[in-house]
């Protein structure tokens, strides 16, 4: 079982292994094979196989029951995954099975590997070639907040039709203890880019990642209102602080007040 919360990680497997996950099986091994369990919460991660394995997941196999994915959960991070020889970028290696795979829209993915067309997938996520999917694949990478840019959103134009991000704009965050951070917004940023920039500024520039096991939860974009009332307004950002009291109070300012009001 593998859990990655952050860092800069490069993992390359030779022959039938996965970059991150299980090894491969080419012989007459008769025992119970790999049961891959992977959780990635953050980090800058590059994982590749140069054999029949997945980039992230299980290795290639001579038998479909000997190198399999129990689950892969990618909750955040910048991920580059390359499978080869019939291996998925994320999931099963060649002849190996993919189990439950959950990929959040918070993650930034660059993928290449075997495309799972037989199961209706259009991306290299899931089983390896000749394998099966024994669980479910949940990929939220095509949600609106992932693909719609700020220049596509009418609210980012003023009453005269002028786009508020014709030039990059700076947003400043001041923490109650005096620490400061800033982000720069661009016309081509997506809603998720904005969420990630705000989140990373709080997590790393203001050092609040020291107080949580998951540094990706400081900022959320609400698409479906929470009936509890805590996150009840759709299409808004919720910003959280891990520091209690006035020391953790976050103030967000900008020289462009029209932009801040959005």
């Amino acid at each position: 079982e593998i859990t990655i919360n952050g860092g800069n990680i490069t993992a390359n497997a030779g022959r039938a292994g996965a970059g991150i996950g299980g090894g491969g099986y080419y012989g007459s091994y008769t025992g119970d094979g790999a049961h891959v369990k992977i959780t990635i919460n953050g980090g800058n991660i590059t994982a590749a196989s140069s054999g029949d394995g997945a980039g992230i997941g299980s290795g290639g196999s001579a038998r479909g029951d000997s190198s399999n994915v129990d689950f892969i959960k990618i909750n955040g991070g910048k991920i580059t995954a390359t499978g080869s020889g019939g291996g998925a970028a994320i999931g099963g290696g060649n002849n190996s099975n993919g189990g439950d795979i959950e990929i959040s829209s918070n993650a930034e993915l660059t993928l290449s590997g075997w495309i799972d067309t037989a199961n209706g997938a259009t991306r290299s996520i899931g089983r390896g070639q000749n394998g099966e999917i024994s669980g479910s694949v949940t990929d939220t990478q095509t949600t609106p907040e992932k693909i719609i840019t700020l220049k596509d959103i009418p609210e980012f134009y003023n009453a005269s039709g002028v786009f508020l991000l014709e030039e990059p704009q700076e947003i400043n965050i001041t923490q109650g203890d005096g620490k400061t951070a800033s982000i720069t917004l661009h016309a081509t940023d997506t809603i998720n880019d904005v969420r990630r920039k705000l989140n990373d500024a709080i997590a790393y520039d203001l050092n609040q990642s020291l107080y949580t096991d998951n540094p990706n939860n400081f900022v959320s974009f609400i698409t479906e209102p929470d009936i509890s009332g805590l996150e009840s307004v759709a299409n808004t950002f919720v910003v959280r602080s891990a520091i209690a009291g006035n020391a953790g109070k976050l103030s967000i300012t900008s020289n462009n007040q029209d932009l801040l009001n959005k």
Side-chain angles (χ1 to χ4, degrees), residues 203-226:
Y204 303 112
D205 296 339
L206 300 180
N207 295 326
Q208 289 207 21
S209 62
L210 299 174
Y211 307 106
T212 177
D213 291 332
N214 188 345
N216 297 297
N217 286 338
F218 291 107
V219 180
S220 298
F221 182 72
I222 306 306
T223 55
E224 296 292 335
D226 184 342

Side-chain angles (χ1 to χ4, degrees), residues 113-196:
W114 184 71
I115 305 296
D116 184 8
T117 54
N119 279 283
T122 58
R123 306 190 65 176
S124 47
I125 298 172
R127 67 189 177 99
Q129 188 175 18
N130 302 316
E132 297 178 354
I133 293 179
S134 54
S136 62
V137 177
T138 304
D139 175 18
T140 59
Q141 290 293 303
T142 56
T143 56
E145 62 267 27
K146 191 73 179 182
I147 61 176
I148 295 176
T149 63
L150 298 183
K151 67 181 179 181
D152 298 321
I153 301 175
E155 285 77 9
F156 282 91
Y157 293 78
N158 66 19
S160 301
V162 176
F163 181 52
L164 299 176
L165 287 168
E166 287 291 349
E167 299 293 334
Q169 299 292 317
E170 187 172 274
I171 302 291
N172 304 301
I173 307 171
T174 302
Q175 194 165 265
D177 61 4
K179 292 186 177 72
T180 62
S182 65
I183 65 170
T184 300
L185 300 184
H186 300 267
T188 55
D189 284 340
T190 65
I191 289 294
N192 194 62
D193 289 333
V194 178
R195 185 213 65 79
R196 177 176 50 80

Side-chain angles (χ1 to χ4, degrees), residues 3-259:
T3 300
I4 299 172
N5 292 319
N8 295 308
I9 297 171
T10 300
N12 297 311
R15 301 192 67 180
I20 295 175
Y25 294 86
Y26 273 143
S28 57
Y29 181 71
T30 58
D32 193 18
H35 291 276
V36 177
K37 303 175 178 68
I38 299 171
T39 302
I40 299 176
N41 294 316
N44 187 356
I45 296 166
T46 299
S49 172
S50 59
D52 289 338
I56 298 173
S58 65
S61 177
R63 298 186 5 250
D65 62 347
S66 59
S67 185
N68 305 297
V69 171
D70 281 6
F71 67 80
I72 298 172
K73 298 179 181 179
I74 299 180
N75 301 316
K78 184 176 182 179
I79 315 294
T80 300
T82 303
S84 66
I90 298 175
N94 187 0
N95 204 46
S96 298
N97 302 332
D100 288 320
I101 299 173
E102 298 178 13
I103 301 175
S104 167
S105 61
N106 294 337
E108 182 179 343
L109 301 184
T110 301
L111 307 179
S112 60
W114 184 71
I115 305 296
D116 184 8
T117 54
N119 279 283
T122 58
R123 306 190 65 176
S124 47
I125 298 172
R127 67 189 177 99
Q129 188 175 18
N130 302 316
E132 297 178 354
I133 293 179
S134 54
S136 62
V137 177
T138 304
D139 175 18
T140 59
Q141 290 293 303
T142 56
T143 56
E145 62 267 27
K146 191 73 179 182
I147 61 176
I148 295 176
T149 63
L150 298 183
K151 67 181 179 181
D152 298 321
I153 301 175
E155 285 77 9
F156 282 91
Y157 293 78
N158 66 19
S160 301
V162 176
F163 181 52
L164 299 176
L165 287 168
E166 287 291 349
E167 299 293 334
Q169 299 292 317
E170 187 172 274
I171 302 291
N172 304 301
I173 307 171
T174 302
Q175 194 165 265
D177 61 4
K179 292 186 177 72
T180 62
S182 65
I183 65 170
T184 300
L185 300 184
H186 300 267
T188 55
D189 284 340
T190 65
I191 289 294
N192 194 62
D193 289 333
V194 178
R195 185 213 65 79
R196 177 176 50 80
K197 289 179 178 182
L198 287 169
N199 186 91
D200 289 353
I202 297 169
Y204 303 112
D205 296 339
L206 300 180
N207 295 326
Q208 289 207 21
S209 62
L210 299 174
Y211 307 106
T212 177
D213 291 332
N214 188 345
N216 297 297
N217 286 338
F218 291 107
V219 180
S220 298
F221 182 72
I222 306 306
T223 55
E224 296 292 335
D226 184 342
I227 60 173
S228 71
L230 298 177
E231 299 178 351
S232 59
V233 182
N235 300 321
T236 58
F237 288 101
V238 173
V239 180
R240 306 174 182 86
S241 176
I243 301 174
N246 288 333
K249 183 178 179 180
L250 300 175
S251 300
I252 300 176
T253 59
S254 172
N255 291 331
N256 188 332
Q257 189 61 39
D258 287 341
L259 174 64

